[in-house]
Amino acid sequence: MSTIPITFSGFPGEGMLPSYTAVGGSERMASTGLSAVLLNRGGRYPRRTLFQELKKIGFDYILSIEGPQERYDVEDLSGRFPFIRFILVKDKITPGEGINLAAAELSGPYFFVLWNDHQFFNGINASKMTELFGGRRLCTVPAVQNSRFEILHTLSSPVYCRDSRKEAIRTLPGAPAKENQSTLFPYDWLGFYDRERFLRLGGFDREIVHPHWQLMDFGFRSYLWGEELRSTQVIRLVYDGAAALPDSTAENSYRLFYLKNLAPEWRSDHAYLPLRCFPGYLARSGWDLPGAWMEFSRERRWVLKNQNRFQCDARSLAEWWESCPDEPCCPDELSAGAGP
């Protein structure tokens, strides 16, 4: 067994990569351009059976993201399955950070993310997935069924709400009804990802540690910066156990999500975070004045740094979504109705 400790000083885009060790993965199984990224949710799932099933699908490589707990079977498994690269992290990380690690490790153009409690349901292979979805968009999100084979509400849509007192952007879940529907973020991180687009976007934000808000940040940033995510029913996954339950509790991660995605406004050809947002942010953040100003100023500098990458603001995105979500996302149409 070859164990090589690798520590990256940074990640293309936002944030830093945690230290990790890569074990195995010297053998390439196929040449489709698509690798599998396997997230581990815990539980005693039959790893050998799962690895054999993924091998049959024909992925080039399989990367298994292993948590900080001791894995006594890694040495044996890396010998039995030389096409699997085990990514051993030192500390607990978010699923998004695990995907960032995988994208940094891989060299092929595409990767597919799934969990260890998922199975492919409809017999599709890696070559067909690459043929159908390669080079089309940032992420294609599969249909997902629970253990009773019921279709889950894996789609999410932003909705602009306004009454006499306030304005807000909210999200609504939905079940896929046809092919190629727009969705705001990859449900449970699942999907067929374009690696180059993913790296260019900056991956998942490691500072946003709450799962729901990490996904929301990734989805909003994708669309605000001109990318898109679509659903497919050609790829179908099924949970072996209970489906993941969403948790949208508003906590520290929400503040970062809000400042980076909902608060910026569009002005002619760039985005900016106006100072007039600060009083309201201070009142709702739970910070004292110095702490709130420090966080607000930091994210305002982030928006300034990336101002030309924005194609619209969140309000314009929600209004476009309501009018024509099944049409390709057009930056010119979005920005035409954004801001003064």
Side-chain angles (χ1 to χ4, degrees):
M1 178 182 69
S2 173
T3 305
I4 306 172
I6 306 174
T7 304
F8 280 75
S9 60
F11 183 76
E14 302 303 319
M16 309 282 283
L17 285 178
S19 298
Y20 67 99
T21 301
V23 179
S26 59
E27 182 179 304
R28 182 172 184 163
M29 291 188 294
S31 299
T32 65
L34 177 62
S35 293
V37 175
L38 183 64
L39 302 176
N40 286 280
R41 210 189 305 272
R44 300 183 64 85
Y45 293 98
R47 285 154 70 84
R48 289 178 176 82
T49 302
L50 177 58
F51 293 156
Q52 290 285 11
E53 289 301 314
L54 294 179
K55 180 180 180 181
K56 292 178 183 177
I57 293 171
F59 292 108
D60 291 3
Y61 296 99
I62 300 170
L63 271 67
S64 181
I65 309 298
E66 307 285 326
Q69 73 276 13
E70 291 289 339
R71 282 289 192 184
Y72 298 103
D73 59 350
V74 166
E75 184 171 359
D76 175 60
L77 289 172
S78 64
R80 289 174 178 265
F81 303 98
F83 49 85
I84 298 177
R85 190 176 309 168
F86 295 91
I87 305 298
L88 313 178
V89 297
K90 180 180 179 182
D91 302 307
K92 184 178 180 180
I93 60 174
T94 64
E97 286 182 278
I99 298 171
N100 290 351
L101 285 175
E105 270 285 308
L106 292 168
S107 58
Y110 312 112
F111 59 90
F112 191 97
V113 175
L114 72 160
W115 291 84
N116 63 332
D117 57 358
H118 285 127
Q119 292 183 2
F120 283 88
F121 182 67
N122 54 348
I124 195 168
N125 58 49
S127 178
K128 188 65 175 178
M129 284 190 275
T130 302
E131 176 188 338
L132 291 174
F133 307 113
R136 296 184 63 181
R137 60 183 67 96
L138 169 63
C139 184
T140 300
V141 181
V144 184
Q145 298 175 323
N146 61 21
S147 56
R148 297 187 298 275
F149 300 103
E150 299 165 332
I151 295 292
L152 300 182
H153 285 64
T154 54
L155 305 186
S156 184
S157 304
V159 178
Y160 176 64
C161 305
R162 183 175 185 176
D163 58 30
S164 59
R165 293 175 297 174
K166 63 180 181 179
E167 301 176 0
I169 304 290
R170 307 196 184 280
T171 56
L172 295 177
K178 56 184 178 181
E179 188 69 10
N180 206 37
Q181 289 180 269
S182 294
T183 185
L184 183 58
F185 58 80
Y187 177 84
D188 207 12
W189 290 270
L190 304 169
F192 179 105
Y193 290 79
D194 183 300
R195 179 174 172 268
E196 182 179 347
R197 292 175 184 266
F198 181 86
L199 294 176
R200 191 164 59 236
L201 184 74
F204 290 94
D205 192 332
R206 70 189 301 264
E207 292 187 336
I208 299 179
V209 297
H210 189 284
H212 176 75
W213 299 116
Q214 188 181 71
L215 285 169
M216 287 277 282
D217 169 79
F218 180 81
F220 266 94
R221 178 161 30 100
S222 298
Y223 279 95
L224 295 179
W225 289 12
E227 298 290 351
E228 65 176 356
L229 298 86
R230 297 271 177 160
S231 69
T232 182
Q233 300 189 67
V234 175
I235 308 173
R236 187 162 297 190
L237 299 176
V238 61
Y239 281 95
D240 279 347
L245 297 176
D247 174 14
S248 57
T249 305
E251 43 92 86
N252 292 349
S253 291
Y254 173 77
R255 296 201 307 266
L256 295 179
F257 161 74
Y258 168 79
L259 291 175
K260 289 183 172 182
N261 297 278
L262 301 188
E265 297 181 7
W266 180 259
R267 181 63 63 91
S268 181
D269 61 354
H270 67 279
Y272 74 110
L273 180 55
L275 286 172
R276 58 181 167 78
C277 291
F278 178 69
Y281 173 74
L282 172 64
R284 295 176 177 84
S285 67
W287 286 104
D288 57 14
L289 178 59
W293 178 249
M294 181 180 298
E295 184 168 71
F296 184 88
S297 298
R298 187 185 69 160
E299 301 312 324
R300 194 164 186 259
R301 290 192 297 270
W302 181 87
V303 174
L304 178 63
K305 175 184 176 182
N306 294 288
Q307 62 179 342
N308 293 319
R309 302 188 70 177
F310 283 79
Q311 304 295 316
C312 65
D313 57 24
R315 174 178 171 177
S316 302
L317 174 62
E319 290 174 343
W320 165 82
W321 206 290
E322 183 178 4
S323 63
C324 52
D326 292 329
E327 297 298 322
C329 190
C330 176
D332 291 337
E333 292 179 4
L334 287 172
S335 58

